[in-house]
Amino acid sequence: MAGTLVRLEGVSRHYGPLRALDRVDLSIRAGEWLAVMGPSGSGKSTLVNLLGALDQPTAGRVVVDGVEITALPEAGRVRFRREKVGIIFQQFHLFPYLTALENVMVAQHYHSVADAGEARRALERVDLADRAQHLPSQLSGGEQQRVCVARALINQPKLILADEPTGNLDADNEDRVLRLLRELHAEGHTLVTVTHAPGIGNLADRRVELHHGRLADLTVHDEEIERRYDEVLVQVWALLEDGRLPEARRVKVPDVVDNERTLQGMEESGLVTRPGTTLELTGRGRERARDLVRRRRLAEVLFTSALHLPRAEVELAACRMEHIIDPEVTNSICGFLGHPRHCPHGRPIPVGDCCELPIIS
Ligand code: ADP
């Protein structure tokens, strides 16, 4: 397939009777960010080690950038690691007797000629210019992890592998590392991140899940994408309703940093168009947004009036964001509530097939 950077064909890794990976087929597009999720012991690290040519499968082939790395002799695999992949581990694997700068330069040395200026720029990129001369033992865990990121970046690898890159980090360092990963993704690197954290998984273009060494199906991913589309549609609807211009930068999908990809996907799915910096709903987009808003606002009415929930419990923005009723029962609930025209916050509820047309006097 054109644009494929990584291909796994029937890849297994067995340890005696234990199947750490079991007949895995997987393609990763160039420039894609793939998140590998799954419980502890499901085979995630095994997969990353195989992608980085750090380990050999018991069966199957791994092809990266047109080269079957599983057929290479050890020397070829070493060269592949130096030239094509950057690996960020949860354990830092830094040389304890070398400074941060030297640790970065070692990686560079393997690839080409060590260049202190370039290594320093890589450290600047991870906000560690002022720690260049420190030994790993003089750096915090988060700082050591950022040295690892700088080291992984120095050779401009096509494929970046990160095994729990934010595993033991505090919130601030986690943010920094995630920001770097997002930048790398935006620059066109292909990323494979292993993570337990759903928040990180959501940043990726695609998530796959391992269970006992087998890849689980990816339907969760499609649902997640549709959820993001729904959020954008409702926000655009609300902006239009308030007489504001639905500018792309005003739209914010919860838990997602890279809105651009969501918007691109929505454009490709024919839900929005993007003349300039604003978003416009297509007929289909408007229909779907309208339906979502209707179902959310009806849910609000249901909560406040029928279930007698005190108003204070219904947040101000909830009619735009929170609850939703099932499409199957929307019209019956609308009827049950007497076809309300407004939600408890006074916002209009789009009429449905079940609602009588307003009487024009
Ligand atoms: P994860 O990264 O999802 O936690 P791993 O890929 O590390 O899982 O491990 C998958 C399975 O393979 C586990 O049951 C683990 O104990 C086993 N395993 C991993 N490496 C080895 C090894 N070198 N020898 C024997 N068993 C191993």
Side-chain angles (χ1 to χ4, degrees):
M1 191 174 75
T4 300
L5 184 74
V6 178
R7 208 170 65 242
L8 276 80
E9 294 170 1
V11 171
S12 295
R13 178 63 166 112
H14 297 173
Y15 296 102
L18 188 134
R19 296 172 179 200
L21 270 192
D22 194 19
R23 288 165 291 151
V24 167
D25 294 306
L26 176 69
S27 288
I28 306 170
R29 277 183 292 109
E32 186 172 28
W33 181 346
L34 180 82
V36 181
M37 327 269 303
S40 181
S42 59
K44 302 184 297 297
S45 299
T46 305
L47 178 66
V48 166
N49 289 341
L50 291 172
L51 289 173
L54 294 163
D55 188 19
Q56 283 283 71
T58 318
R61 294 171 5 117
V62 179
V63 180
V64 179
D65 203 19
V67 175
E68 185 182 340
I69 58 169
T70 37
L72 292 174
E74 177 55 21
R77 288 194 279 133
V78 170
R79 194 165 342 109
F80 163 80
R81 283 202 295 275
R82 287 174 188 167
E83 294 178 359
K84 297 279 170 69
V85 281
I87 306 180
I88 306 164
F89 290 104
Q90 185 175 8
Q91 306 84 2
F92 309 123
H93 298 297
L94 294 173
F95 293 108
Y97 47 86
L98 297 181
T99 64
L101 186 71
E102 288 162 346
N103 262 291
V104 176
M105 287 174 70
V106 166
Q108 197 180 30
H109 168 75
Y110 284 136
H111 182 60
S112 52
V113 181
D115 174 342
E118 206 175 282
R120 211 176 285 279
R121 277 191 294 282
L123 284 176
E124 268 166 29
R125 178 151 192 200
V126 297
D127 291 333
L128 284 179
D130 57 340
R131 298 282 191 283
Q133 300 307 330
H134 288 54
L135 295 173
S137 58
Q138 297 166 322
L139 298 170
S140 72
E143 289 167 340
Q144 290 183 56
Q145 185 61 306
R146 276 146 56 203
V147 175
C148 293
V149 176
R151 187 183 54 183
L153 302 186
I154 194 75
N155 298 331
Q156 286 293 325
K158 283 197 171 174
L159 178 62
I160 295 176
L161 306 172
D163 195 350
E164 295 285 3
T166 58
N168 296 318
L169 303 185
D170 57 57
D172 178 46
N173 277 297
E174 176 172 329
D175 279 354
R176 286 168 189 257
V177 169
L178 288 182
R179 198 171 61 229
L180 282 162
L181 292 176
R182 289 199 308 269
E183 284 172 16
L184 293 168
H185 180 229
E187 285 166 18
H189 292 273
T190 307
L191 263 69
V192 177
T193 49
V194 161
T195 175
H196 276 95
I200 303 178
N202 280 343
L203 294 173
D205 298 316
R206 186 157 61 111
R207 293 184 294 176
V208 292
E209 227 172 287
L210 279 168
H211 285 283
H212 304 295
R214 306 283 331 246
L215 270 188
D217 84 65
L218 311 176
T219 50
V220 179
H221 172 70
D222 292 340
E223 280 171 22
E224 171 61 23
I225 293 276
E226 296 302 324
R227 180 193 71 82
R228 294 178 190 180
Y229 291 180
D230 284 352
E231 290 308 324
V232 173
L233 289 171
V234 171
Q235 286 179 38
V236 170
W237 180 279
L239 285 169
L240 290 170
E241 194 172 65
D242 292 346
R244 295 166 74 191
L245 211 55
E247 288 197 54
R249 65 181 168 79
R250 285 199 174 140
V251 170
K252 188 81 202 76
V253 190
D255 305 329
V256 178
V257 180
D258 191 357
N259 280 328
E260 178 51 31
R261 292 204 166 234
T262 304
L263 298 181
Q264 251 173 32
M266 293 180 73
E267 215 175 354
E268 283 159 18
S269 311
L271 294 169
V272 295
T273 56
R274 289 201 284 173
T277 56
T278 57
L279 295 170
E280 248 172 45
L281 296 174
T282 62
R284 214 151 64 75
R286 190 184 323 282
E287 219 20 62
R288 179 155 152 188
R290 193 173 184 285
D291 176 61
L292 283 162
V293 169
R294 172 170 156 76
R295 285 155 57 208
R296 288 189 181 188
R297 292 187 181 165
L298 281 171
E300 287 299 302
V301 180
L302 187 66
F303 279 127
T304 44
S305 55
L307 302 180
H308 303 296
L309 281 186
R311 222 164 224 251
E313 282 189 20
V314 183
E315 283 177 39
L316 199 60
C319 60
R320 291 171 170 182
M321 300 301 297
E322 288 286 308
H323 316 288
I324 192 148
I325 51 181
D326 195 282
E328 303 281 315
V329 296
T330 307
N331 285 353
S332 358
I333 288 182
C334 187
F336 168 73
L337 295 170
H339 306 285
R341 289 287 187 261
H342 293 93
C343 78
H345 310 101
R347 297 187 198 281
I349 298 178
V351 295
D353 301 339
C354 64
C355 305
E356 288 162 5
L357 288 173
I359 298 156
I360 301 162
S361 53

